[in-house]
Amino acid sequence: MYDKTLVVEILDQIIDAIEIVHERCAFAKCEDDFCHTKEGQEKLDSICMKLIAVGESLKKIDHITEKKLLLKYPQIEWKKIKGIRDFISHHYFDLDAEIILVFVKII
């Protein structure tokens, strides 16, 4: 059996991160709003960090629960959400705002 308190704590952190991502995206009317100002680029960088944290945290939950918890919710695209972390981490310099906003829509 796994530590449910720890899993709930991690889920709370994920929810907080997703809320922050949505707040930081709210100013943008299109992808260009992230690219044409220093503030927009900084928001994009901070959004990427939160998305990395979400993906990493879900992987941690999978590890803690021996991949049993997330399987109970197949309607959520867990693989894609966890893959966000890998994609951003390994292709950071190839990212653009459009790709990040696609990820944000998934979560």
PDB file of all heavy atoms in Angstrom, residues 17-54:
ATOM      1  N   ALA A  17      -0.121  24.214  -9.458  1.00  0.00           N
ATOM      2  CA  ALA A  17       0.703  24.536 -10.626  1.00  0.00           C
ATOM      3  C   ALA A  17      -0.161  24.772 -11.859  1.00  0.00           C
ATOM      4  O   ALA A  17       0.086  25.715 -12.632  1.00  0.00           O
ATOM      5  CB  ALA A  17       1.705  23.405 -10.887  1.00  0.00           C
ATOM      6  N   ILE A  18      -1.177  23.951 -12.046  1.00  0.00           N
ATOM      7  CA  ILE A  18      -2.066  24.112 -13.205  1.00  0.00           C
ATOM      8  C   ILE A  18      -2.820  25.438 -13.114  1.00  0.00           C
ATOM      9  O   ILE A  18      -2.968  26.144 -14.115  1.00  0.00           O
ATOM     10  CB  ILE A  18      -3.023  22.916 -13.328  1.00  0.00           C
ATOM     11  CG1 ILE A  18      -2.234  21.656 -13.710  1.00  0.00           C
ATOM     12  CG2 ILE A  18      -4.125  23.197 -14.351  1.00  0.00           C
ATOM     13  CD1 ILE A  18      -3.020  20.371 -13.607  1.00  0.00           C
ATOM     14  N   GLU A  19      -3.272  25.782 -11.932  1.00  0.00           N
ATOM     15  CA  GLU A  19      -3.962  27.066 -11.760  1.00  0.00           C
ATOM     16  C   GLU A  19      -3.031  28.235 -12.090  1.00  0.00           C
ATOM     17  O   GLU A  19      -3.440  29.200 -12.738  1.00  0.00           O
ATOM     18  CB  GLU A  19      -4.517  27.181 -10.339  1.00  0.00           C
ATOM     19  CG  GLU A  19      -5.696  26.268 -10.094  1.00  0.00           C
ATOM     20  CD  GLU A  19      -6.159  26.242  -8.641  1.00  0.00           C
ATOM     21  OE1 GLU A  19      -5.476  26.828  -7.757  1.00  0.00           O
ATOM     22  OE2 GLU A  19      -7.208  25.615  -8.385  1.00  0.00           O
ATOM     23  N   ILE A  20      -1.793  28.140 -11.672  1.00  0.00           N
ATOM     24  CA  ILE A  20      -0.813  29.196 -11.977  1.00  0.00           C
ATOM     25  C   ILE A  20      -0.571  29.279 -13.478  1.00  0.00           C
ATOM     26  O   ILE A  20      -0.499  30.373 -14.045  1.00  0.00           O
ATOM     27  CB  ILE A  20       0.496  28.955 -11.201  1.00  0.00           C
ATOM     28  CG1 ILE A  20       0.266  29.205  -9.706  1.00  0.00           C
ATOM     29  CG2 ILE A  20       1.626  29.841 -11.736  1.00  0.00           C
ATOM     30  CD1 ILE A  20       1.404  28.739  -8.818  1.00  0.00           C
ATOM     31  N   VAL A  21      -0.460  28.140 -14.137  1.00  0.00           N
ATOM     32  CA  VAL A  21      -0.264  28.123 -15.591  1.00  0.00           C
ATOM     33  C   VAL A  21      -1.421  28.840 -16.279  1.00  0.00           C
ATOM     34  O   VAL A  21      -1.211  29.692 -17.151  1.00  0.00           O
ATOM     35  CB  VAL A  21      -0.120  26.676 -16.123  1.00  0.00           C
ATOM     36  CG1 VAL A  21      -0.284  26.623 -17.636  1.00  0.00           C
ATOM     37  CG2 VAL A  21       1.227  26.099 -15.711  1.00  0.00           C
ATOM     38  N   HIS A  22      -2.627  28.517 -15.883  1.00  0.00           N
ATOM     39  CA  HIS A  22      -3.790  29.160 -16.503  1.00  0.00           C
ATOM     40  C   HIS A  22      -3.815  30.667 -16.222  1.00  0.00           C
ATOM     41  O   HIS A  22      -4.139  31.452 -17.112  1.00  0.00           O
ATOM     42  CB  HIS A  22      -5.081  28.480 -16.060  1.00  0.00           C
ATOM     43  CG  HIS A  22      -5.294  27.165 -16.732  1.00  0.00           C
ATOM     44  ND1 HIS A  22      -5.723  27.043 -18.030  1.00  0.00           N
ATOM     45  CD2 HIS A  22      -5.089  25.895 -16.294  1.00  0.00           C
ATOM     46  CE1 HIS A  22      -5.790  25.769 -18.357  1.00  0.00           C
ATOM     47  NE2 HIS A  22      -5.407  25.049 -17.320  1.00  0.00           N
ATOM     48  N   GLU A  23      -3.442  31.066 -15.025  1.00  0.00           N
ATOM     49  CA  GLU A  23      -3.373  32.494 -14.700  1.00  0.00           C
ATOM     50  C   GLU A  23      -2.329  33.197 -15.564  1.00  0.00           C
ATOM     51  O   GLU A  23      -2.570  34.303 -16.063  1.00  0.00           O
ATOM     52  CB  GLU A  23      -3.005  32.695 -13.225  1.00  0.00           C
ATOM     53  CG  GLU A  23      -4.107  32.359 -12.259  1.00  0.00           C
ATOM     54  CD  GLU A  23      -3.632  32.382 -10.814  1.00  0.00           C
ATOM     55  OE1 GLU A  23      -2.540  32.946 -10.522  1.00  0.00           O
ATOM     56  OE2 GLU A  23      -4.341  31.823  -9.961  1.00  0.00           O
ATOM     57  N   ARG A  24      -1.174  32.568 -15.746  1.00  0.00           N
ATOM     58  CA  ARG A  24      -0.098  33.195 -16.509  1.00  0.00           C
ATOM     59  C   ARG A  24      -0.392  33.232 -18.006  1.00  0.00           C
ATOM     60  O   ARG A  24       0.187  34.032 -18.725  1.00  0.00           O
ATOM     61  CB  ARG A  24       1.216  32.483 -16.226  1.00  0.00           C
ATOM     62  CG  ARG A  24       1.689  32.745 -14.809  1.00  0.00           C
ATOM     63  CD  ARG A  24       2.974  32.070 -14.468  1.00  0.00           C
ATOM     64  NE  ARG A  24       3.284  32.344 -13.067  1.00  0.00           N
ATOM     65  CZ  ARG A  24       4.219  31.702 -12.385  1.00  0.00           C
ATOM     66  NH1 ARG A  24       4.954  30.768 -12.972  1.00  0.00           N
ATOM     67  NH2 ARG A  24       4.437  31.998 -11.129  1.00  0.00           N
ATOM     68  N   CYS A  25      -1.278  32.374 -18.449  1.00  0.00           N
ATOM     69  CA  CYS A  25      -1.667  32.376 -19.863  1.00  0.00           C
ATOM     70  C   CYS A  25      -2.784  33.377 -20.154  1.00  0.00           C
ATOM     71  O   CYS A  25      -2.996  33.742 -21.312  1.00  0.00           O
ATOM     72  CB  CYS A  25      -2.143  30.984 -20.284  1.00  0.00           C
ATOM     73  SG  CYS A  25      -0.838  29.787 -20.471  1.00  0.00           S
ATOM     74  N   ALA A  26      -3.473  33.821 -19.127  1.00  0.00           N
ATOM     75  CA  ALA A  26      -4.678  34.624 -19.307  1.00  0.00           C
ATOM     76  C   ALA A  26      -4.434  35.936 -20.060  1.00  0.00           C
ATOM     77  O   ALA A  26      -5.315  36.407 -20.774  1.00  0.00           O
ATOM     78  CB  ALA A  26      -5.322  34.907 -17.957  1.00  0.00           C
ATOM     79  N   PHE A  27      -3.247  36.513 -19.929  1.00  0.00           N
ATOM     80  CA  PHE A  27      -2.984  37.799 -20.571  1.00  0.00           C
ATOM     81  C   PHE A  27      -2.897  37.683 -22.098  1.00  0.00           C
ATOM     82  O   PHE A  27      -3.133  38.657 -22.815  1.00  0.00           O
ATOM     83  CB  PHE A  27      -1.677  38.404 -20.039  1.00  0.00           C
ATOM     84  CG  PHE A  27      -0.456  37.937 -20.774  1.00  0.00           C
ATOM     85  CD1 PHE A  27       0.122  38.738 -21.750  1.00  0.00           C
ATOM     86  CD2 PHE A  27       0.098  36.689 -20.528  1.00  0.00           C
ATOM     87  CE1 PHE A  27       1.247  38.307 -22.437  1.00  0.00           C
ATOM     88  CE2 PHE A  27       1.210  36.251 -21.215  1.00  0.00           C
ATOM     89  CZ  PHE A  27       1.792  37.063 -22.179  1.00  0.00           C
ATOM     90  N   ALA A  28      -2.564  36.498 -22.571  1.00  0.00           N
ATOM     91  CA  ALA A  28      -2.268  36.315 -23.998  1.00  0.00           C
ATOM     92  C   ALA A  28      -3.539  36.132 -24.819  1.00  0.00           C
ATOM     93  O   ALA A  28      -4.396  35.331 -24.479  1.00  0.00           O
ATOM     94  CB  ALA A  28      -1.342  35.125 -24.195  1.00  0.00           C
ATOM     95  N   LYS A  29      -3.624  36.870 -25.877  1.00  0.00           N
ATOM     96  CA  LYS A  29      -4.734  36.718 -26.815  1.00  0.00           C
ATOM     97  C   LYS A  29      -4.337  35.799 -27.971  1.00  0.00           C
ATOM     98  O   LYS A  29      -5.172  35.225 -28.640  1.00  0.00           O
ATOM     99  CB  LYS A  29      -5.162  38.074 -27.337  1.00  0.00           C
ATOM    100  CG  LYS A  29      -5.547  39.025 -26.207  1.00  0.00           C
ATOM    101  CD  LYS A  29      -6.583  40.003 -26.597  1.00  0.00           C
ATOM    102  CE  LYS A  29      -6.994  40.973 -25.542  1.00  0.00           C
ATOM    103  NZ  LYS A  29      -6.595  40.840 -24.205  1.00  0.00           N
ATOM    104  N   CYS A  30      -3.018  35.680 -28.179  1.00  0.00           N
ATOM    105  CA  CYS A  30      -2.486  34.773 -29.203  1.00  0.00           C
ATOM    106  C   CYS A  30      -1.057  34.399 -28.815  1.00  0.00           C
ATOM    107  O   CYS A  30      -0.488  34.957 -27.872  1.00  0.00           O
ATOM    108  CB  CYS A  30      -2.534  35.423 -30.591  1.00  0.00           C
ATOM    109  SG  CYS A  30      -1.404  36.803 -30.782  1.00  0.00           S
ATOM    110  N   GLU A  31      -0.482  33.461 -29.556  1.00  0.00           N
ATOM    111  CA  GLU A  31       0.868  32.973 -29.254  1.00  0.00           C
ATOM    112  C   GLU A  31       1.902  34.088 -29.304  1.00  0.00           C
ATOM    113  O   GLU A  31       2.863  34.099 -28.534  1.00  0.00           O
ATOM    114  CB  GLU A  31       1.274  31.860 -30.243  1.00  0.00           C
ATOM    115  CG  GLU A  31       0.428  30.629 -30.175  1.00  0.00           C
ATOM    116  CD  GLU A  31      -0.802  30.700 -31.069  1.00  0.00           C
ATOM    117  OE1 GLU A  31      -0.899  31.598 -31.926  1.00  0.00           O
ATOM    118  OE2 GLU A  31      -1.693  29.856 -30.895  1.00  0.00           O
ATOM    119  N   ASP A  32       1.708  35.043 -30.201  1.00  0.00           N
ATOM    120  CA  ASP A  32       2.684  36.124 -30.364  1.00  0.00           C
ATOM    121  C   ASP A  32       2.852  36.960 -29.103  1.00  0.00           C
ATOM    122  O   ASP A  32       3.899  37.574 -28.896  1.00  0.00           O
ATOM    123  CB  ASP A  32       2.293  37.029 -31.533  1.00  0.00           C
ATOM    124  CG  ASP A  32       2.460  36.340 -32.882  1.00  0.00           C
ATOM    125  OD1 ASP A  32       3.188  35.324 -32.948  1.00  0.00           O
ATOM    126  OD2 ASP A  32       1.868  36.820 -33.863  1.00  0.00           O
ATOM    127  N   ASP A  33       1.837  36.997 -28.258  1.00  0.00           N
ATOM    128  CA  ASP A  33       1.928  37.777 -27.030  1.00  0.00           C
ATOM    129  C   ASP A  33       3.032  37.268 -26.107  1.00  0.00           C
ATOM    130  O   ASP A  33       3.531  38.005 -25.268  1.00  0.00           O
ATOM    131  CB  ASP A  33       0.589  37.773 -26.288  1.00  0.00           C
ATOM    132  CG  ASP A  33      -0.481  38.552 -27.027  1.00  0.00           C
ATOM    133  OD1 ASP A  33      -0.131  39.387 -27.891  1.00  0.00           O
ATOM    134  OD2 ASP A  33      -1.669  38.308 -26.755  1.00  0.00           O
ATOM    135  N   PHE A  34       3.428  36.008 -26.258  1.00  0.00           N
ATOM    136  CA  PHE A  34       4.518  35.458 -25.467  1.00  0.00           C
ATOM    137  C   PHE A  34       5.884  35.769 -26.064  1.00  0.00           C
ATOM    138  O   PHE A  34       6.891  35.695 -25.379  1.00  0.00           O
ATOM    139  CB  PHE A  34       4.387  33.927 -25.352  1.00  0.00           C
ATOM    140  CG  PHE A  34       3.278  33.493 -24.457  1.00  0.00           C
ATOM    141  CD1 PHE A  34       2.110  32.982 -24.977  1.00  0.00           C
ATOM    142  CD2 PHE A  34       3.398  33.587 -23.078  1.00  0.00           C
ATOM    143  CE1 PHE A  34       1.079  32.563 -24.150  1.00  0.00           C
ATOM    144  CE2 PHE A  34       2.379  33.170 -22.242  1.00  0.00           C
ATOM    145  CZ  PHE A  34       1.209  32.662 -22.784  1.00  0.00           C
ATOM    146  N   CYS A  35       5.922  36.090 -27.329  1.00  0.00           N
ATOM    147  CA  CYS A  35       7.200  36.175 -28.039  1.00  0.00           C
ATOM    148  C   CYS A  35       7.713  37.595 -28.259  1.00  0.00           C
ATOM    149  O   CYS A  35       8.907  37.786 -28.434  1.00  0.00           O
ATOM    150  CB  CYS A  35       7.075  35.485 -29.394  1.00  0.00           C
ATOM    151  SG  CYS A  35       6.542  33.781 -29.262  1.00  0.00           S
ATOM    152  N   HIS A  36       6.852  38.569 -28.245  1.00  0.00           N
ATOM    153  CA  HIS A  36       7.251  39.905 -28.666  1.00  0.00           C
ATOM    154  C   HIS A  36       7.620  40.858 -27.536  1.00  0.00           C
ATOM    155  O   HIS A  36       7.982  41.999 -27.790  1.00  0.00           O
ATOM    156  CB  HIS A  36       6.161  40.531 -29.540  1.00  0.00           C
ATOM    157  CG  HIS A  36       5.981  39.797 -30.835  1.00  0.00           C
ATOM    158  ND1 HIS A  36       6.983  39.630 -31.752  1.00  0.00           N
ATOM    159  CD2 HIS A  36       4.912  39.148 -31.341  1.00  0.00           C
ATOM    160  CE1 HIS A  36       6.547  38.934 -32.780  1.00  0.00           C
ATOM    161  NE2 HIS A  36       5.283  38.618 -32.552  1.00  0.00           N
ATOM    162  N   THR A  37       7.515  40.388 -26.298  1.00  0.00           N
ATOM    163  CA  THR A  37       7.934  41.219 -25.175  1.00  0.00           C
ATOM    164  C   THR A  37       8.762  40.379 -24.206  1.00  0.00           C
ATOM    165  O   THR A  37       8.614  39.148 -24.145  1.00  0.00           O
ATOM    166  CB  THR A  37       6.720  41.794 -24.397  1.00  0.00           C
ATOM    167  OG1 THR A  37       6.012  40.709 -23.776  1.00  0.00           O
ATOM    168  CG2 THR A  37       5.790  42.576 -25.312  1.00  0.00           C
ATOM    169  N   LYS A  38       9.602  41.072 -23.471  1.00  0.00           N
ATOM    170  CA  LYS A  38      10.404  40.383 -22.465  1.00  0.00           C
ATOM    171  C   LYS A  38       9.497  39.742 -21.409  1.00  0.00           C
ATOM    172  O   LYS A  38       9.724  38.619 -20.976  1.00  0.00           O
ATOM    173  CB  LYS A  38      11.379  41.356 -21.811  1.00  0.00           C
ATOM    174  CG  LYS A  38      12.302  40.704 -20.827  1.00  0.00           C
ATOM    175  CD  LYS A  38      13.320  41.672 -20.282  1.00  0.00           C
ATOM    176  CE  LYS A  38      14.216  40.932 -19.306  1.00  0.00           C
ATOM    177  NZ  LYS A  38      15.281  41.748 -18.788  1.00  0.00           N
ATOM    178  N   GLU A  39       8.438  40.461 -21.028  1.00  0.00           N
ATOM    179  CA  GLU A  39       7.509  39.942 -20.021  1.00  0.00           C
ATOM    180  C   GLU A  39       6.810  38.677 -20.521  1.00  0.00           C
ATOM    181  O   GLU A  39       6.620  37.722 -19.766  1.00  0.00           O
ATOM    182  CB  GLU A  39       6.461  40.999 -19.647  1.00  0.00           C
ATOM    183  CG  GLU A  39       7.030  42.190 -18.911  1.00  0.00           C
ATOM    184  CD  GLU A  39       7.711  43.223 -19.837  1.00  0.00           C
ATOM    185  OE1 GLU A  39       7.530  43.171 -21.073  1.00  0.00           O
ATOM    186  OE2 GLU A  39       8.423  44.075 -19.308  1.00  0.00           O
ATOM    187  N   GLY A  40       6.430  38.677 -21.793  1.00  0.00           N
ATOM    188  CA  GLY A  40       5.792  37.503 -22.370  1.00  0.00           C
ATOM    189  C   GLY A  40       6.728  36.314 -22.400  1.00  0.00           C
ATOM    190  O   GLY A  40       6.335  35.176 -22.097  1.00  0.00           O
ATOM    191  N   GLN A  41       7.981  36.566 -22.745  1.00  0.00           N
ATOM    192  CA  GLN A  41       8.969  35.482 -22.773  1.00  0.00           C
ATOM    193  C   GLN A  41       9.225  34.938 -21.373  1.00  0.00           C
ATOM    194  O   GLN A  41       9.377  33.725 -21.183  1.00  0.00           O
ATOM    195  CB  GLN A  41      10.263  35.984 -23.408  1.00  0.00           C
ATOM    196  CG  GLN A  41      10.112  36.273 -24.888  1.00  0.00           C
ATOM    197  CD  GLN A  41      11.301  37.009 -25.475  1.00  0.00           C
ATOM    198  OE1 GLN A  41      12.234  37.380 -24.771  1.00  0.00           O
ATOM    199  NE2 GLN A  41      11.264  37.216 -26.778  1.00  0.00           N
ATOM    200  N   GLU A  42       9.247  35.845 -20.390  1.00  0.00           N
ATOM    201  CA  GLU A  42       9.429  35.392 -19.009  1.00  0.00           C
ATOM    202  C   GLU A  42       8.240  34.557 -18.539  1.00  0.00           C
ATOM    203  O   GLU A  42       8.410  33.549 -17.853  1.00  0.00           O
ATOM    204  CB  GLU A  42       9.633  36.596 -18.076  1.00  0.00           C
ATOM    205  CG  GLU A  42      10.985  37.244 -18.265  1.00  0.00           C
ATOM    206  CD  GLU A  42      11.149  38.539 -17.491  1.00  0.00           C
ATOM    207  OE1 GLU A  42      10.162  39.037 -16.901  1.00  0.00           O
ATOM    208  OE2 GLU A  42      12.279  39.057 -17.476  1.00  0.00           O
ATOM    209  N   LYS A  43       7.032  34.966 -18.921  1.00  0.00           N
ATOM    210  CA  LYS A  43       5.843  34.168 -18.574  1.00  0.00           C
ATOM    211  C   LYS A  43       5.930  32.787 -19.212  1.00  0.00           C
ATOM    212  O   LYS A  43       5.613  31.784 -18.580  1.00  0.00           O
ATOM    213  CB  LYS A  43       4.569  34.877 -19.001  1.00  0.00           C
ATOM    214  CG  LYS A  43       4.164  35.984 -18.063  1.00  0.00           C
ATOM    215  CD  LYS A  43       2.731  36.372 -18.305  1.00  0.00           C
ATOM    216  CE  LYS A  43       2.363  37.559 -17.465  1.00  0.00           C
ATOM    217  NZ  LYS A  43       1.853  37.215 -16.165  1.00  0.00           N
ATOM    218  N   LEU A  44       6.341  32.748 -20.474  1.00  0.00           N
ATOM    219  CA  LEU A  44       6.465  31.470 -21.177  1.00  0.00           C
ATOM    220  C   LEU A  44       7.474  30.570 -20.469  1.00  0.00           C
ATOM    221  O   LEU A  44       7.214  29.376 -20.268  1.00  0.00           O
ATOM    222  CB  LEU A  44       6.858  31.695 -22.632  1.00  0.00           C
ATOM    223  CG  LEU A  44       6.866  30.460 -23.520  1.00  0.00           C
ATOM    224  CD1 LEU A  44       5.481  29.836 -23.597  1.00  0.00           C
ATOM    225  CD2 LEU A  44       7.363  30.824 -24.915  1.00  0.00           C
ATOM    226  N   ASP A  45       8.605  31.128 -20.070  1.00  0.00           N
ATOM    227  CA  ASP A  45       9.602  30.340 -19.336  1.00  0.00           C
ATOM    228  C   ASP A  45       9.024  29.805 -18.026  1.00  0.00           C
ATOM    229  O   ASP A  45       9.221  28.636 -17.681  1.00  0.00           O
ATOM    230  CB  ASP A  45      10.839  31.186 -19.022  1.00  0.00           C
ATOM    231  CG  ASP A  45      11.702  31.449 -20.239  1.00  0.00           C
ATOM    232  OD1 ASP A  45      11.548  30.746 -21.253  1.00  0.00           O
ATOM    233  OD2 ASP A  45      12.541  32.371 -20.162  1.00  0.00           O
ATOM    234  N   SER A  46       8.293  30.657 -17.298  1.00  0.00           N
ATOM    235  CA  SER A  46       7.741  30.210 -16.018  1.00  0.00           C
ATOM    236  C   SER A  46       6.646  29.170 -16.218  1.00  0.00           C
ATOM    237  O   SER A  46       6.515  28.236 -15.419  1.00  0.00           O
ATOM    238  CB  SER A  46       7.227  31.398 -15.205  1.00  0.00           C
ATOM    239  OG  SER A  46       6.101  31.981 -15.806  1.00  0.00           O
ATOM    240  N   ILE A  47       5.887  29.297 -17.290  1.00  0.00           N
ATOM    241  CA  ILE A  47       4.864  28.304 -17.620  1.00  0.00           C
ATOM    242  C   ILE A  47       5.528  26.962 -17.917  1.00  0.00           C
ATOM    243  O   ILE A  47       5.080  25.910 -17.456  1.00  0.00           O
ATOM    244  CB  ILE A  47       3.998  28.781 -18.795  1.00  0.00           C
ATOM    245  CG1 ILE A  47       3.094  29.933 -18.343  1.00  0.00           C
ATOM    246  CG2 ILE A  47       3.181  27.640 -19.395  1.00  0.00           C
ATOM    247  CD1 ILE A  47       2.457  30.705 -19.475  1.00  0.00           C
ATOM    248  N   CYS A  48       6.619  27.011 -18.670  1.00  0.00           N
ATOM    249  CA  CYS A  48       7.350  25.771 -18.981  1.00  0.00           C
ATOM    250  C   CYS A  48       7.816  25.077 -17.705  1.00  0.00           C
ATOM    251  O   CYS A  48       7.697  23.851 -17.577  1.00  0.00           O
ATOM    252  CB  CYS A  48       8.547  26.066 -19.878  1.00  0.00           C
ATOM    253  SG  CYS A  48       8.106  26.428 -21.587  1.00  0.00           S
ATOM    254  N   MET A  49       8.327  25.851 -16.742  1.00  0.00           N
ATOM    255  CA  MET A  49       8.777  25.237 -15.487  1.00  0.00           C
ATOM    256  C   MET A  49       7.627  24.571 -14.748  1.00  0.00           C
ATOM    257  O   MET A  49       7.779  23.467 -14.219  1.00  0.00           O
ATOM    258  CB  MET A  49       9.439  26.284 -14.585  1.00  0.00           C
ATOM    259  CG  MET A  49      10.884  26.563 -14.926  1.00  0.00           C
ATOM    260  SD  MET A  49      11.937  25.080 -14.975  1.00  0.00           S
ATOM    261  CE  MET A  49      11.683  24.382 -13.368  1.00  0.00           C
ATOM    262  N   LYS A  50       6.475  25.214 -14.725  1.00  0.00           N
ATOM    263  CA  LYS A  50       5.314  24.613 -14.050  1.00  0.00           C
ATOM    264  C   LYS A  50       4.867  23.345 -14.767  1.00  0.00           C
ATOM    265  O   LYS A  50       4.507  22.351 -14.125  1.00  0.00           O
ATOM    266  CB  LYS A  50       4.152  25.609 -13.958  1.00  0.00           C
ATOM    267  CG  LYS A  50       4.419  26.762 -13.026  1.00  0.00           C
ATOM    268  CD  LYS A  50       4.534  26.298 -11.585  1.00  0.00           C
ATOM    269  CE  LYS A  50       4.749  27.450 -10.638  1.00  0.00           C
ATOM    270  NZ  LYS A  50       4.920  27.016  -9.254  1.00  0.00           N
ATOM    271  N   LEU A  51       4.894  23.352 -16.096  1.00  0.00           N
ATOM    272  CA  LEU A  51       4.503  22.159 -16.851  1.00  0.00           C
ATOM    273  C   LEU A  51       5.481  21.016 -16.622  1.00  0.00           C
ATOM    274  O   LEU A  51       5.076  19.850 -16.512  1.00  0.00           O
ATOM    275  CB  LEU A  51       4.386  22.483 -18.339  1.00  0.00           C
ATOM    276  CG  LEU A  51       3.250  23.430 -18.718  1.00  0.00           C
ATOM    277  CD1 LEU A  51       3.332  23.789 -20.204  1.00  0.00           C
ATOM    278  CD2 LEU A  51       1.897  22.842 -18.379  1.00  0.00           C
ATOM    279  N   ILE A  52       6.758  21.342 -16.522  1.00  0.00           N
ATOM    280  CA  ILE A  52       7.758  20.322 -16.200  1.00  0.00           C
ATOM    281  C   ILE A  52       7.461  19.731 -14.822  1.00  0.00           C
ATOM    282  O   ILE A  52       7.490  18.509 -14.630  1.00  0.00           O
ATOM    283  CB  ILE A  52       9.182  20.909 -16.255  1.00  0.00           C
ATOM    284  CG1 ILE A  52       9.586  21.190 -17.705  1.00  0.00           C
ATOM    285  CG2 ILE A  52      10.190  19.975 -15.587  1.00  0.00           C
ATOM    286  CD1 ILE A  52      10.865  21.987 -17.854  1.00  0.00           C
ATOM    287  N   ALA A  53       7.142  20.595 -13.868  1.00  0.00           N
ATOM    288  CA  ALA A  53       6.845  20.131 -12.507  1.00  0.00           C
ATOM    289  C   ALA A  53       5.607  19.232 -12.480  1.00  0.00           C
ATOM    290  O   ALA A  53       5.588  18.212 -11.777  1.00  0.00           O
ATOM    291  CB  ALA A  53       6.656  21.332 -11.578  1.00  0.00           C
ATOM    292  N   VAL A  54       4.583  19.585 -13.254  1.00  0.00           N
ATOM    293  CA  VAL A  54       3.374  18.761 -13.317  1.00  0.00           C
ATOM    294  C   VAL A  54       3.713  17.370 -13.855  1.00  0.00           C
ATOM    295  O   VAL A  54       3.326  16.350 -13.271  1.00  0.00           O
ATOM    296  CB  VAL A  54       2.277  19.440 -14.172  1.00  0.00           C
ATOM    297  CG1 VAL A  54       1.151  18.457 -14.495  1.00  0.00           C
ATOM    298  CG2 VAL A  54       1.733  20.668 -13.469  1.00  0.00           C
TER     299      VAL A  54
END
